[in-house]
Amino acid sequence: MKQILIFTAGFGEGHNTAARNIRDALEVVAGNEVKVQIIDLFDRCYGRLNEFLRRAYIAAINRTPRVWGKIYNVIDGTQFVETNMPMLTRFKRAMADLLRQFEPDAVISTYPLYGYVIDQVLPAGEPRTFTQITVVTDSITVNSIWYRCASDHFIVANDDTAAVLRAGGITDDRIHIFGFPVTHRFAEMVDHRFTSQDVGPKRVLYLINSGKKEAPSLVRRLSKRDDIRLTVTVGRDTALRRAIEAEVRVPGHRVEILGWTTKMPELLTSHHLVITKAGGATIQEAIAARTPVLISQVVPGQEEGNARLIVENDCGQLAPDPDSIVEALDDAFTRGGALLERWTQNVSKLSRPAASLQIARFILSLEVTEPNRKVLVPKIESARSTRKKSPSILLCDLHTHSVYSDGKLTVPELVDFYGQRGFDVLCVTDHICDYTKLIGRVTNLSGLVLTLDLVPEYFDILEKEKKRALDKYRMILMAGLEFNKDGLTKRSSAHLLAVDLKGPIDPGLSITRTIAEIHSQGALAIASHPHEFKTHWGKNTLYFWEHIDQYAPLLDAWEVANRDDIFNPIGLKRLPFVANSDFHKPKHIFSWKTVLFCEKDPEAIKQCIRVNRNVAITLYRDHRLGIGFSDLEPDSEKESEEAIVTFPGYSRKSA
Ligand code: ZN
Ligand code: ZN
């Protein structure tokens, strides 16, 4: 099954429309053979800030279009994006995570910035494991950020746009003129469209998406004409609808008023002419429907190209105010509608109603470069990793528990314990339970897991100890958590390690969301003891293993060994691996550990594990202390006392 990612953004109208239409067409053509995800990374990364910017953008193009035009030119003409990209660290990280998690066969961008970000994230010269396709949704005035990236293919709507890319240095073999990806429904509709030869009044569609103040009186003027049958759309604007209804409450003046509609293909093909602003998607839909256009507004910058496409190809004209709209209609319909006929013929030449189906077939025809796709290794620059250090052998334990959950040592004691033994990396991963589940709520009462009120303190103390660990022992201390996602059976139970967290994560999230949150912090998501324990009695957590196809792409690594157990199936499946003590008390130091060969730097360490190259496991023995050393003696407590009872039927020495 092919995995396809489509990146889009809510700035301007054409991008989301194009993304949705390509997805729908892919699903029509390939059915279950393809899995398509549409992602708005701006929304994911910046959430409310993004919504604010989107509104500001809409306000800017409506109130101060000239200013916006200038901004657009600045972005186009200078190195604006390059110089501002370092600010987008979060964005790049999210991109890197997505590419790694989904291992897509093809990545499609319908918004210009993404190709550029992918270039930033992936090492130069490294062969990519996916095909990168840029769908240019603008026409003629194409901002150069669209093609200043290493995209394999550029899909454009028309010859004029292709010419712009060619002039920008893109070779012909990478440019494909398929038309704008309008919904595939146009492909079935256009053959049944109205023609200009139809007798009776001409049908005019007025999409009121600009000049709303003058719209009601214009509707009244048009509704009086016998040569026109008018349909207007008012979107979700109820005030506008009322204003128009008030104007046309005259008997005999039939105007059809529509609200927000998904029936654009049907509407456009059942009208002889459309009045609209020069928005990318609408202009392209009109072209697909072979419907001439009167353009009521043009946002300087990116909409200029759409307007020029109509005017320069003689498919309609500019009519920026009510008087010029009325005049243009007069011209179009007089002399037997000769002008309307000419416009219709010209717009038909540009029309490519099956564009999205063609694009889908093209994408599906692209070969995946390697049948055995290797894990993508995104490059994330950080201030730290730019400092060059030489690699060394690092002894690591990424799974330990303190008194914040069911461990015996405090965090400072853990630091000293591991520091004195020459460890290079220690991650403390206290248990945290899903309070949304009954088992989690019961466990929370046990006092053996980190409770929500102590989470801030837990992160605080780890932050303080990080410095001490480094100064005193040259040991890297990381904050982590072990998410206990326990169900009633071993098959429905999972323990998920987060390694090198920057802050808390809500333990009530779903597993997939939790992994996404872990990744958004740049941390590792690792499956704890994912297979059957042999050496000690305890509840197994097999959920990840049972759903390996679903989680293998999402998890950074799996414990191939946990304390005394080795999980052969994890090794046989060639999953990225680590080995940990699952340390709860001093004697657990005698156990399997991870050895890395990389720079002693948190980012390098995590990357080494993700890539899973130069990773080994070792069975740790602490000979220098000798047997019988007091802190390593098995506890004198009875087994029954150290058993952790987390919920009825679940009892083991340690989790
Ligand atoms: Zn554990
Ligand atoms: Zn566990």
Side-chain angles (χ1 to χ4, degrees):
M1 185 169 75
K2 285 204 173 185
Q3 294 263 12
I4 296 174
L5 286 183
I6 305 180
F7 287 108
T8 181
F11 303 99
E13 65 167 314
H15 314 294
N16 285 338
T17 313
R20 275 195 302 272
N21 293 339
I22 292 171
R23 177 199 56 199
D24 294 349
L26 280 165
E27 286 169 359
V28 164
V29 174
N32 292 333
E33 296 298 298
V34 69
K35 186 160 176 249
V36 191
Q37 286 255 22
I38 294 181
I39 290 164
D40 181 341
L41 213 50
F42 289 91
D43 200 42
R44 278 207 185 184
C45 290
Y46 305 110
R48 285 170 66 181
L49 173 66
N50 184 60
E51 182 57 21
F52 169 77
L53 290 174
R54 204 180 62 80
R55 282 165 196 267
Y57 164 84
I58 291 165
I61 61 169
N62 285 332
R63 288 193 209 124
T64 51
R66 300 270 143 227
V67 177
W68 171 251
K70 283 218 177 68
I71 294 171
Y72 194 78
N73 291 336
V74 167
I75 296 171
D76 192 30
T78 67
Q79 299 297 298
F80 178 84
V81 181
E82 278 89 340
T83 48
N84 285 282
M85 282 310 279
M87 315 255 298
L88 300 180
T89 312
R90 193 190 173 106
F91 198 89
K92 284 192 275 180
R93 178 159 302 178
M95 173 63 84
D97 273 340
L98 276 169
L99 293 179
R100 196 158 38 74
Q101 282 177 27
F102 285 93
E103 292 193 355
D105 298 282
V107 171
I108 300 159
S109 329
T110 62
Y111 188 77
L113 215 53
Y114 289 107
Y116 196 81
V117 174
I118 292 170
D119 282 1
Q120 297 277 306
V121 161
L122 290 174
E126 188 107 331
R128 294 183 183 185
T129 54
F130 56 84
T131 317
Q132 194 181 333
I133 302 143
T134 304
V135 179
V136 181
T137 56
D138 295 346
S139 287
I140 305 178
T141 50
V142 179
N143 195 303
S144 67
I145 44 173
W146 274 111
Y147 51 86
R148 288 200 311 239
C149 65
S151 189
D152 298 303
H153 302 282
F154 292 89
I155 292 174
V156 298
N158 45 60
D159 297 311
D160 299 325
T161 313
V164 175
L165 264 64
R166 235 174 265 131
I170 307 297
T171 49
D172 257 332
D173 54 321
R174 290 162 70 204
I175 304 172
H176 310 271
I177 308 166
F178 287 126
F180 182 93
V182 291
T183 168
H184 62 86
R185 281 158 57 214
F186 277 105
E188 302 133 40
M189 308 231 51
V190 279
D191 292 336
H192 310 292
R193 84 172 310 283
F194 279 32
T195 70
S196 47
Q197 272 89 42
D198 294 326
V199 287
K202 295 286 182 271
R203 300 196 51 152
V204 174
L205 177 64
Y206 179 15
L207 308 177
I208 310 179
N209 42 27
S210 68
K212 291 186 178 178
K213 246 192 232 155
E214 305 95 47
S217 65
L218 176 61
V219 171
R220 177 164 41 83
R221 283 168 78 180
L222 298 180
S223 69
K224 285 178 184 163
R225 294 172 60 143
D226 293 331
D227 59 339
I228 291 175
R229 276 254 339 251
L230 188 65
T231 309
V232 302
T233 65
V234 294
R236 294 190 167 98
D237 192 334
T238 46
L240 177 66
R241 177 189 276 268
R242 261 183 264 117
I244 286 171
E245 281 169 351
E247 291 286 352
V248 295
R249 225 178 271 139
V250 188
H253 292 159
R254 280 188 300 156
V255 177
E256 197 177 350
I257 305 171
L258 301 173
W260 190 83
T261 175
T262 55
K263 300 257 184 239
M264 211 41 88
E266 289 81 353
L267 275 178
L268 283 166
T269 48
S270 60
H271 287 78
H272 294 98
L273 191 134
V274 60
I275 305 167
T276 178
K277 77 194 271 283
T282 315
I283 294 294
Q284 294 297 341
E285 284 173 344
I287 291 171
R290 298 172 190 164
T291 308
V293 187
L294 295 184
I295 296 168
S296 57
Q297 193 203 17
V298 184
V299 174
Q302 83 267 46
E303 283 189 6
E304 279 169 6
N306 303 325
R308 280 176 54 191
L309 189 64
I310 294 296
V311 175
E312 290 174 13
N313 288 289
D314 196 21
C315 307
Q317 69 179 61
L318 287 175
D321 54 75
D323 285 341
S324 45
I325 288 173
V326 172
E327 241 171 79
L329 290 173
D330 287 340
D331 291 346
F333 300 144
T334 48
R335 277 173 276 115
L339 180 58
L340 180 69
E341 176 60 26
R342 198 176 80 212
W343 284 346
T344 308
Q345 279 178 14
N346 288 333
V347 77
S348 301
K349 287 181 207 152
L350 293 182
S351 173
R352 293 169 183 269
S356 55
L357 292 172
Q358 281 186 313
I359 292 170
R361 286 190 199 103
F362 173 73
I363 292 165
L364 292 165
S365 74
L366 295 169
E367 276 302 305
V368 185
T369 39
E370 288 168 306
N372 238 336
R373 283 175 307 166
K374 58 180 185 197
V375 176
L376 214 53
V377 186
K379 176 188 74 177
I380 301 174
E381 299 137 86
S382 72
R384 281 185 132 143
S385 60
T386 49
R387 234 188 297 131
K388 262 274 163 257
K389 289 179 206 158
S390 51
S392 57
I393 291 175
L394 306 177
L395 181 61
C396 316
D397 198 344
L398 307 169
H399 185 167
T400 64
H401 298 273
S402 79
V403 292
Y404 277 99
S405 62
D406 53 351
K408 296 277 190 230
L409 304 186
T410 63
V411 172
E413 282 168 350
L414 271 174
V415 167
D416 290 327
F417 189 86
Y418 276 87
Q420 285 161 10
R421 283 164 179 77
F423 273 75
D424 299 284
V425 183
L426 168 67
C427 184
V428 181
T429 53
D430 274 310
H431 296 285
I432 192 159
C433 280
D434 186 345
Y435 55 84
T436 64
K437 303 250 165 60
L438 174 66
I439 293 167
R441 284 201 298 275
V442 173
T443 314
N444 273 335
L445 298 174
S446 69
L448 296 170
V449 297
L450 188 54
T451 47
L452 289 179
D453 55 319
L454 286 178
V455 169
E457 185 187 305
Y458 172 75
F459 276 93
D460 275 355
I461 196 155
L462 280 165
E463 197 55 44
K464 278 196 208 100
E465 285 293 307
K466 273 181 193 175
K467 193 180 174 327
R468 195 175 69 86
L470 201 60
D471 292 348
K472 194 164 179 191
Y473 302 109
R474 289 200 63 250
M475 181 174 75
I476 290 174
L477 175 66
M478 292 175 171
L481 286 171
E482 183 173 19
F483 293 90
N484 289 31
K485 295 286 186 184
D486 288 321
L488 290 168
T489 65
K490 58 185 180 182
R491 287 180 202 289
S492 63
S493 297
H495 282 192
L496 172 64
L497 285 182
V499 170
D500 198 26
L501 285 175
K502 305 286 174 284
I505 290 173
D506 182 349
L509 298 174
S510 70
I511 291 178
T512 320
R513 276 295 309 280
T514 309
I515 295 171
E517 288 290 318
I518 292 169
H519 285 152
S520 78
Q521 295 193 20
L524 299 177
I526 298 174
S528 314
H529 37 79
H531 214 267
E532 305 265 357
F533 285 114
K534 292 280 188 289
T535 58
H536 59 280
W537 180 80
K539 184 171 180 273
N540 286 307
T541 48
L542 304 181
Y543 180 78
F544 285 132
W545 178 253
E546 298 278 328
H547 299 85
I548 188 166
D549 290 342
Q550 189 184 345
Y551 289 102
L554 302 180
L555 293 165
D556 296 292
W558 301 61
E559 279 185 347
V560 73
N562 176 287
R563 199 173 307 154
D564 302 313
D565 278 276
I566 288 204
F567 309 114
N568 288 330
I570 302 296
L572 288 168
K573 279 273 181 191
R574 297 184 186 238
L575 292 162
F577 65 90
V578 289
N580 295 315
S581 310
D582 203 347
F583 182 97
H584 286 73
K585 58 178 90 169
K587 69 172 180 180
H588 292 163
I589 195 72
F590 296 112
S591 60
W592 289 101
K593 303 285 185 292
T594 305
V595 176
L596 305 176
F597 182 68
C598 68
E599 290 164 39
K600 195 164 176 174
D601 165 277
E603 297 306 320
I605 288 160
K606 286 184 286 182
Q607 191 65 345
C608 184
I609 292 167
R610 287 186 192 111
V611 181
N612 229 242
R613 213 179 291 145
N614 298 328
V615 179
I617 65 172
T618 188
L619 190 57
Y620 183 84
R621 292 292 182 253
D622 199 343
H623 295 297
R624 82 189 158 88
L625 291 169
I627 291 168
F629 193 78
S630 66
D631 68 347
L632 296 174
E633 274 287 88
D635 292 309
S636 52
E637 300 152 271
K638 292 195 187 84
E639 291 294 292
S640 62
E641 281 173 295
E642 63 185 33
I644 298 160
V645 180
T646 50
F647 61 91
Y650 173 22
S651 161
R652 56 176 288 204
K653 286 187 223 167
S654 54

